[in-house]
């Protein structure tokens, strides 16, 4: 049987690189694309020598060309952490809009199936908890997070338009907070911050009172959900995330408990503007349509992640 070909954008990022690993393992030819503004070649160094992995250093906000035929596209390029999209607001909007447009055009030309990485941020600071896919969200378009949230909402709208108007086969995953090895130590997100602070005996910076909630999904579970969604025939958005909701303060305490002998203490800092107060996926659709649910407990996932940060910080 001929090998399937898949293009993964954002391949040098946290999720992109784990997806590339999975598709290589499944026997695909993987075209990986990244402009490296937040991605890191270290995440794909082990893939570079493989004959089935072809890397393109390219910005998808510009015209995208891939020679020959293509079966699938996964669009995972975007700054994704709040401090990144605050620093790079225009690139964030371009990759979600122009980048998505170019890739949908490519999918149409190649008759490829395209899956886009959407986000729980489409629900904004939600007034409904947990969030089902039917919830339209509560987003401030002109706030600091608006560049990311609205780019992703535009991306979903454009993808549905290509699906209905051009009959392109599309899939939309709404990704909730995901963690694991290859997150950047200093990407500003809660878990990398807490682990690195605890390992280095620095203050653990909990923003606000820490009563805001998140639901943390281990990366292998997310990759499995995306793999299943890509191969399903469901074109509407599907939440993939772990429904176990905890407060950020509790997350900080669990990290402190895990990092034996740390001298770190929790301190509180100002809560960023428009920081969602609650977040938890309703995963009924993923369960019923894909037969997917997360398998990793938080303690298992945290342990693997802790070991990764320990190793990375010692380098
Ligand atoms: N947060 C925190 N300390 C940090 C980084 C983040 O208390 O050093 C909080 C942040 O305000 C938010 C939650 O942790 O309420 C999750 O933030 P993150 O940046 O990981 O992702 P988000 O879910 O907000 O996109």
């Amino acid at each position: 049987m001929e090998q399937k070909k898949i293009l993964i954008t954002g391949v040098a990022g946290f999720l992109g690189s784990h997806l590339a690993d999975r598709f290589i393992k499944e026997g695909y030819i993987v075209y990986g694309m990244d402009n490296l503004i937040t991605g890191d070649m270290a995440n794909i160094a082990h893939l570079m020598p493989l004959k089935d992995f072809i890397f393109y250093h390219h910005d998808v906000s510009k015209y995208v060309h891939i020679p020959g035929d293509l079966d699938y596209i996964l669009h995972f390029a975007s700054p994704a952490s709040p401090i990144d999209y605050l620093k790079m607001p225009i690139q964030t909007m371009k990759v979600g809009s122009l980048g998505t447009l170019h890739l949908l055009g490519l999918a149409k030309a190649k008759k490829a199936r395209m899956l886009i990485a959407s986000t729980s941020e489409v629900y904004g600071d939600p007034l409904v908890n947990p969030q089902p896919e039917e919830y339209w969200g509560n987003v401030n378009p002109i706030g600091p997070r608006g560049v990311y949230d609205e780019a992703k909402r535009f991306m979903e709208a454009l993808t549905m338009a290509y699906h209905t108007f051009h009959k392109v086969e599309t899939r939309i995953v709404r990704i909730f907070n995901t963690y694991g090895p290859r997150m950047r130590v200093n990407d500003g997100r809660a878990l990398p911050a807490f682990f690195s602070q605890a390992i280095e005996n620095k203050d653990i910076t909990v923003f606000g009172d820490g009563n805001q909630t998140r639901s943390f999904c281990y990366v292998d579970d997310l990759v499995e959900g995306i793999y299943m969604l890509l191969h399903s025939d469901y074109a509407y958005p599907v939440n993939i995330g772990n429904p176990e909701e905890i407060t950020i303060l509790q997350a900080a305490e669990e990290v402190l408990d895990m990092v034996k002998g740390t001298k770190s203490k929790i301190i509180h800092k100002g809560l960023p503007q428009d920081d969602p107060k609650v977040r938890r996926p309703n995963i009924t659709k993923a369960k019923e349509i894909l037969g997917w649910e997360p398998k990793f407990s938080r303690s298992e996932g945290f342990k693997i992640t802790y070991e990764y940060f320990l190793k990375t910080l010692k380098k």
Side-chain angles (χ1 to χ4, degrees), residues 230-271:
L230 180 70
H231 294 103
S232 78
D233 57 8
Y234 192 72
Y236 294 93
V238 178
N239 291 337
I240 299 283
N242 190 313
E244 253 185 52
E245 183 181 13
I246 56 169
T247 67
I248 288 301
L249 194 58
Q250 190 184 338
E253 281 162 357
E254 288 183 10
V255 168
L256 270 179
D257 279 349
M258 190 161 275
V259 182
K260 297 281 172 257
T262 177
K263 296 185 186 67
S264 298
K265 297 208 165 40
I266 292 173
I267 61 157
H268 292 268
K269 287 197 162 180
L271 191 66

Tab-separated table of all heavy atoms in Angstrom, residues 230-271:
chain	number	residue	atom	x	y	z
A	230	LEU	N	-9.265	12.938	13.166
A	230	LEU	CA	-8.848	13.055	11.762
A	230	LEU	C	-9.434	11.909	10.940
A	230	LEU	O	-9.843	12.097	9.796
A	230	LEU	CB	-7.309	13.058	11.653
A	230	LEU	CG	-6.775	13.182	10.225
A	230	LEU	CD1	-7.036	14.581	9.665
A	230	LEU	CD2	-5.275	12.881	10.159
A	231	HIS	N	-9.470	10.725	11.526
A	231	HIS	CA	-9.944	9.552	10.782
A	231	HIS	C	-11.441	9.304	10.924
A	231	HIS	O	-11.957	8.307	10.427
A	231	HIS	CB	-9.137	8.317	11.202
A	231	HIS	CG	-7.697	8.432	10.778
A	231	HIS	ND1	-6.680	8.751	11.663
A	231	HIS	CD2	-7.111	8.354	9.560
A	231	HIS	CE1	-5.548	8.831	10.998
A	231	HIS	NE2	-5.773	8.598	9.724
A	232	SER	N	-12.129	10.214	11.614
A	232	SER	CA	-13.589	10.084	11.736
A	232	SER	C	-14.237	10.803	10.546
A	232	SER	O	-13.547	11.410	9.728
A	232	SER	CB	-14.064	10.731	13.039
A	232	SER	OG	-14.091	12.142	12.876
A	233	ASP	N	-15.578	10.752	10.482
A	233	ASP	CA	-16.225	11.492	9.391
A	233	ASP	C	-17.016	12.680	9.939
A	233	ASP	O	-17.981	13.123	9.337
A	233	ASP	CB	-17.121	10.558	8.557
A	233	ASP	CG	-18.154	9.877	9.422
A	233	ASP	OD1	-18.267	10.241	10.619
A	233	ASP	OD2	-18.857	8.963	8.918
A	234	TYR	N	-16.588	13.220	11.080
A	234	TYR	CA	-17.339	14.286	11.747
A	234	TYR	C	-16.700	15.650	11.467
A	234	TYR	O	-15.535	15.891	11.829
A	234	TYR	CB	-17.362	14.007	13.256
A	234	TYR	CG	-18.343	14.884	13.993
A	234	TYR	CD1	-19.716	14.684	13.871
A	234	TYR	CD2	-17.889	15.916	14.803
A	234	TYR	CE1	-20.617	15.487	14.545
A	234	TYR	CE2	-18.783	16.726	15.492
A	234	TYR	CZ	-20.139	16.508	15.353
A	234	TYR	OH	-21.027	17.298	16.026
A	235	ALA	N	-17.446	16.553	10.829
A	235	ALA	CA	-16.859	17.821	10.365
A	235	ALA	C	-17.061	18.992	11.332
A	235	ALA	O	-16.541	20.080	11.093
A	235	ALA	CB	-17.436	18.177	9.000
A	236	TYR	N	-17.808	18.770	12.404
A	236	TYR	CA	-18.074	19.889	13.330
A	236	TYR	C	-17.074	19.864	14.485
A	236	TYR	O	-16.403	18.852	14.701
A	236	TYR	CB	-19.530	19.812	13.816
A	236	TYR	CG	-20.469	20.040	12.657
A	236	TYR	CD1	-20.974	18.964	11.935
A	236	TYR	CD2	-20.759	21.325	12.232
A	236	TYR	CE1	-21.781	19.172	10.821
A	236	TYR	CE2	-21.566	21.545	11.120
A	236	TYR	CZ	-22.067	20.467	10.426
A	236	TYR	OH	-22.844	20.680	9.321
A	237	PRO	N	-16.979	20.981	15.229
A	237	PRO	CA	-15.959	21.035	16.288
A	237	PRO	C	-16.145	19.965	17.361
A	237	PRO	O	-17.271	19.640	17.736
A	237	PRO	CB	-16.175	22.426	16.896
A	237	PRO	CG	-16.850	23.216	15.839
A	237	PRO	CD	-17.697	22.249	15.074
A	238	VAL	N	-15.025	19.434	17.814
A	238	VAL	CA	-15.035	18.461	18.921
A	238	VAL	C	-14.049	18.928	19.990
A	238	VAL	O	-12.874	19.199	19.690
A	238	VAL	CB	-14.635	17.044	18.426
A	238	VAL	CG1	-14.592	16.062	19.599
A	238	VAL	CG2	-15.600	16.536	17.357
A	239	ASN	N	-14.526	19.017	21.232
A	239	ASN	CA	-13.642	19.333	22.364
A	239	ASN	C	-12.762	18.135	22.661
A	239	ASN	O	-13.259	17.015	22.785
A	239	ASN	CB	-14.453	19.566	23.646
A	239	ASN	CG	-15.273	20.842	23.617
A	239	ASN	OD1	-14.969	21.774	22.886
A	239	ASN	ND2	-16.302	20.889	24.466
A	240	ILE	N	-11.453	18.365	22.781
A	240	ILE	CA	-10.571	17.323	23.309
A	240	ILE	C	-9.835	17.925	24.504
A	240	ILE	O	-9.140	18.941	24.376
A	240	ILE	CB	-9.562	16.806	22.247
A	240	ILE	CG1	-10.292	16.182	21.040
A	240	ILE	CG2	-8.603	15.800	22.883
A	240	ILE	CD1	-10.861	14.793	21.237
A	241	GLY	N	-10.016	17.309	25.646
A	241	GLY	CA	-9.375	17.797	26.869
A	241	GLY	C	-9.751	16.884	27.997
A	241	GLY	O	-10.561	15.962	27.836
A	242	ASN	N	-9.135	17.132	29.136
A	242	ASN	CA	-9.413	16.312	30.309
A	242	ASN	C	-10.459	17.022	31.168
A	242	ASN	O	-10.268	18.178	31.524
A	242	ASN	CB	-8.103	16.117	31.086
A	242	ASN	CG	-8.246	15.079	32.168
A	242	ASN	OD1	-9.208	15.107	32.934
A	242	ASN	ND2	-7.305	14.168	32.220
A	243	PRO	N	-11.564	16.362	31.481
A	243	PRO	CA	-12.628	17.077	32.211
A	243	PRO	C	-12.376	17.237	33.712
A	243	PRO	O	-13.222	17.786	34.412
A	243	PRO	CB	-13.867	16.217	31.948
A	243	PRO	CG	-13.348	14.860	31.649
A	243	PRO	CD	-11.966	15.003	31.088
A	244	GLU	N	-11.225	16.786	34.217
A	244	GLU	CA	-10.968	16.972	35.657
A	244	GLU	C	-10.522	18.398	35.921
A	244	GLU	O	-9.415	18.795	35.558
A	244	GLU	CB	-9.880	16.003	36.126
A	244	GLU	CG	-10.455	14.881	36.954
A	244	GLU	CD	-9.384	13.987	37.515
A	244	GLU	OE1	-8.444	14.495	38.146
A	244	GLU	OE2	-9.490	12.770	37.284
A	245	GLU	N	-11.396	19.145	36.586
A	245	GLU	CA	-11.173	20.589	36.775
A	245	GLU	C	-10.550	20.846	38.145
A	245	GLU	O	-11.013	20.309	39.148
A	245	GLU	CB	-12.548	21.273	36.686
A	245	GLU	CG	-12.527	22.778	36.784
A	245	GLU	CD	-13.962	23.345	36.701
A	245	GLU	OE1	-14.934	22.577	36.814
A	245	GLU	OE2	-14.078	24.576	36.543
A	246	ILE	N	-9.488	21.654	38.175
A	246	ILE	CA	-8.887	22.025	39.472
A	246	ILE	C	-8.604	23.524	39.489
A	246	ILE	O	-8.518	24.162	38.433
A	246	ILE	CB	-7.557	21.265	39.757
A	246	ILE	CG1	-6.522	21.474	38.642
A	246	ILE	CG2	-7.808	19.784	39.980
A	246	ILE	CD1	-5.128	20.983	39.005
A	247	THR	N	-8.423	24.058	40.683
A	247	THR	CA	-8.041	25.471	40.754
A	247	THR	C	-6.548	25.572	40.462
A	247	THR	O	-5.789	24.600	40.629
A	247	THR	CB	-8.329	26.081	42.144
A	247	THR	OG1	-7.462	25.466	43.085
A	247	THR	CG2	-9.779	25.908	42.552
A	248	ILE	N	-6.134	26.759	40.061
A	248	ILE	CA	-4.711	26.979	39.769
A	248	ILE	C	-3.892	26.850	41.066
A	248	ILE	O	-2.767	26.343	41.050
A	248	ILE	CB	-4.528	28.357	39.087
A	248	ILE	CG1	-5.087	28.271	37.648
A	248	ILE	CG2	-3.086	28.814	39.070
A	248	ILE	CD1	-4.424	27.219	36.756
A	249	LEU	N	-4.491	27.251	42.167
A	249	LEU	CA	-3.808	27.094	43.459
A	249	LEU	C	-3.548	25.616	43.749
A	249	LEU	O	-2.453	25.229	44.170
A	249	LEU	CB	-4.673	27.716	44.562
A	249	LEU	CG	-3.999	27.943	45.906
A	249	LEU	CD1	-2.772	28.843	45.768
A	249	LEU	CD2	-4.989	28.577	46.903
A	250	GLN	N	-4.556	24.786	43.473
A	250	GLN	CA	-4.390	23.338	43.682
A	250	GLN	C	-3.296	22.781	42.758
A	250	GLN	O	-2.480	21.957	43.186
A	250	GLN	CB	-5.722	22.626	43.416
A	250	GLN	CG	-5.727	21.173	43.841
A	250	GLN	CD	-7.048	20.487	43.467
A	250	GLN	OE1	-8.080	21.150	43.282
A	250	GLN	NE2	-7.034	19.173	43.345
A	251	ALA	N	-3.265	23.265	41.518
A	251	ALA	CA	-2.219	22.814	40.584
A	251	ALA	C	-0.847	23.172	41.151
A	251	ALA	O	0.077	22.348	41.140
A	251	ALA	CB	-2.416	23.450	39.212
A	252	ALA	N	-0.722	24.389	41.686
A	252	ALA	CA	0.558	24.830	42.257
A	252	ALA	C	0.931	23.936	43.444
A	252	ALA	O	2.097	23.526	43.596
A	252	ALA	CB	0.455	26.293	42.691
A	253	GLU	N	-0.047	23.602	44.265
A	253	GLU	CA	0.228	22.753	45.441
A	253	GLU	C	0.632	21.341	45.019
A	253	GLU	O	1.536	20.745	45.602
A	253	GLU	CB	-0.996	22.726	46.369
A	253	GLU	CG	-1.063	23.989	47.214
A	253	GLU	CD	-2.433	24.262	47.831
A	253	GLU	OE1	-3.384	23.495	47.557
A	253	GLU	OE2	-2.540	25.262	48.574
A	254	GLU	N	-0.013	20.814	43.987
A	254	GLU	CA	0.351	19.469	43.510
A	254	GLU	C	1.772	19.454	42.959
A	254	GLU	O	2.512	18.489	43.150
A	254	GLU	CB	-0.648	18.990	42.444
A	254	GLU	CG	-2.003	18.630	43.045
A	254	GLU	CD	-2.996	18.093	42.022
A	254	GLU	OE1	-2.607	17.803	40.873
A	254	GLU	OE2	-4.190	17.967	42.371
A	255	VAL	N	2.158	20.526	42.284
A	255	VAL	CA	3.528	20.615	41.760
A	255	VAL	C	4.505	20.678	42.939
A	255	VAL	O	5.507	19.951	42.976
A	255	VAL	CB	3.698	21.835	40.831
A	255	VAL	CG1	5.161	22.098	40.523
A	255	VAL	CG2	2.900	21.641	39.540
A	256	LEU	N	4.199	21.499	43.936
A	256	LEU	CA	5.064	21.620	45.113
A	256	LEU	C	5.240	20.274	45.817
A	256	LEU	O	6.339	19.919	46.238
A	256	LEU	CB	4.469	22.626	46.102
A	256	LEU	CG	4.891	24.081	45.917
A	256	LEU	CD1	4.203	24.963	46.938
A	256	LEU	CD2	6.410	24.227	46.030
A	257	ASP	N	4.152	19.503	45.940
A	257	ASP	CA	4.208	18.180	46.580
A	257	ASP	C	5.108	17.223	45.820
A	257	ASP	O	5.745	16.359	46.392
A	257	ASP	CB	2.802	17.540	46.608
A	257	ASP	CG	1.994	18.083	47.759
A	257	ASP	OD1	2.588	18.766	48.617
A	257	ASP	OD2	0.768	17.839	47.787
A	258	MET	N	5.098	17.374	44.489
A	258	MET	CA	5.856	16.444	43.650
A	258	MET	C	7.352	16.731	43.686
A	258	MET	O	8.170	15.816	43.610
A	258	MET	CB	5.329	16.533	42.218
A	258	MET	CG	5.868	15.470	41.320
A	258	MET	SD	4.843	15.283	39.866
A	258	MET	CE	3.576	14.171	40.439
A	259	VAL	N	7.696	18.021	43.777
A	259	VAL	CA	9.110	18.404	43.721
A	259	VAL	C	9.681	18.330	45.145
A	259	VAL	O	9.673	19.308	45.894
A	259	VAL	CB	9.274	19.802	43.091
A	259	VAL	CG1	10.741	20.194	42.987
A	259	VAL	CG2	8.626	19.823	41.701
A	260	LYS	N	10.166	17.130	45.462
A	260	LYS	CA	10.635	16.864	46.830
A	260	LYS	C	11.790	17.798	47.215
A	260	LYS	O	12.683	18.056	46.425
A	260	LYS	CB	11.125	15.414	46.943
A	260	LYS	CG	10.039	14.389	46.708
A	260	LYS	CD	9.143	14.198	47.939
A	260	LYS	CE	7.959	13.319	47.653
A	260	LYS	NZ	6.669	14.004	47.474
A	261	GLY	N	11.738	18.300	48.426
A	261	GLY	CA	12.851	19.085	48.959
A	261	GLY	C	12.894	20.529	48.462
A	261	GLY	O	13.807	21.272	48.807
A	262	THR	N	11.905	20.934	47.664
A	262	THR	CA	11.953	22.316	47.166
A	262	THR	C	11.717	23.308	48.303
A	262	THR	O	10.980	23.026	49.250
A	262	THR	CB	10.908	22.550	46.043
A	262	THR	OG1	10.970	23.921	45.653
A	262	THR	CG2	9.484	22.232	46.505
A	263	LYS	N	12.379	24.454	48.176
A	263	LYS	CA	12.196	25.498	49.195
A	263	LYS	C	11.202	26.570	48.710
A	263	LYS	O	11.001	27.581	49.371
A	263	LYS	CB	13.554	26.148	49.497
A	263	LYS	CG	14.562	25.180	50.106
A	263	LYS	CD	15.847	25.918	50.487
A	263	LYS	CE	16.929	24.979	50.963
A	263	LYS	NZ	17.427	24.075	49.878
A	264	SER	N	10.610	26.325	47.544
A	264	SER	CA	9.710	27.333	46.972
A	264	SER	C	8.455	27.520	47.805
A	264	SER	O	7.959	26.574	48.426
A	264	SER	CB	9.284	26.905	45.566
A	264	SER	OG	10.399	26.815	44.732
A	265	LYS	N	7.955	28.743	47.752
A	265	LYS	CA	6.674	29.048	48.412
A	265	LYS	C	5.764	29.749	47.400
A	265	LYS	O	6.253	30.420	46.488
A	265	LYS	CB	6.903	30.002	49.583
A	265	LYS	CG	7.757	29.406	50.665
A	265	LYS	CD	7.456	29.986	52.037
A	265	LYS	CE	8.056	29.134	53.132
A	265	LYS	NZ	9.407	28.625	52.801
A	266	ILE	N	4.459	29.561	47.626
A	266	ILE	CA	3.505	30.200	46.705
A	266	ILE	C	3.379	31.690	47.022
A	266	ILE	O	3.207	32.064	48.191
A	266	ILE	CB	2.129	29.501	46.811
A	266	ILE	CG1	2.243	28.079	46.249
A	266	ILE	CG2	1.047	30.313	46.102
A	266	ILE	CD1	1.022	27.206	46.430
A	267	ILE	N	3.525	32.531	45.999
A	267	ILE	CA	3.217	33.958	46.153
A	267	ILE	C	2.120	34.311	45.137
A	267	ILE	O	1.902	33.569	44.186
A	267	ILE	CB	4.449	34.878	45.939
A	267	ILE	CG1	5.016	34.716	44.522
A	267	ILE	CG2	5.525	34.628	46.989
A	267	ILE	CD1	5.823	35.909	44.070
A	268	HIS	N	1.450	35.421	45.364
A	268	HIS	CA	0.377	35.813	44.447
A	268	HIS	C	0.787	37.049	43.657
A	268	HIS	O	1.404	37.958	44.204
A	268	HIS	CB	-0.915	36.070	45.227
A	268	HIS	CG	-1.475	34.804	45.810
A	268	HIS	ND1	-2.406	34.029	45.159
A	268	HIS	CD2	-1.182	34.154	46.974
A	268	HIS	CE1	-2.681	32.966	45.899
A	268	HIS	NE2	-1.958	33.018	47.006
A	269	LYS	N	0.467	37.043	42.366
A	269	LYS	CA	0.716	38.204	41.506
A	269	LYS	C	-0.598	38.623	40.864
A	269	LYS	O	-1.568	37.866	40.915
A	269	LYS	CB	1.733	37.841	40.426
A	269	LYS	CG	3.147	37.700	40.964
A	269	LYS	CD	4.135	37.765	39.830
A	269	LYS	CE	5.526	38.070	40.362
A	269	LYS	NZ	6.501	38.141	39.256
A	270	GLY	N	-0.602	39.779	40.210
A	270	GLY	CA	-1.843	40.293	39.610
A	270	GLY	C	-2.414	39.343	38.563
A	270	GLY	O	-1.662	38.710	37.815
A	271	LEU	N	-3.721	39.260	38.507
A	271	LEU	CA	-4.384	38.417	37.512
A	271	LEU	C	-4.377	39.140	36.164
A	271	LEU	O	-4.794	40.295	36.093
A	271	LEU	CB	-5.827	38.151	37.977
A	271	LEU	CG	-6.618	37.092	37.219
A	271	LEU	CD1	-6.002	35.705	37.427
A	271	LEU	CD2	-8.074	37.084	37.688
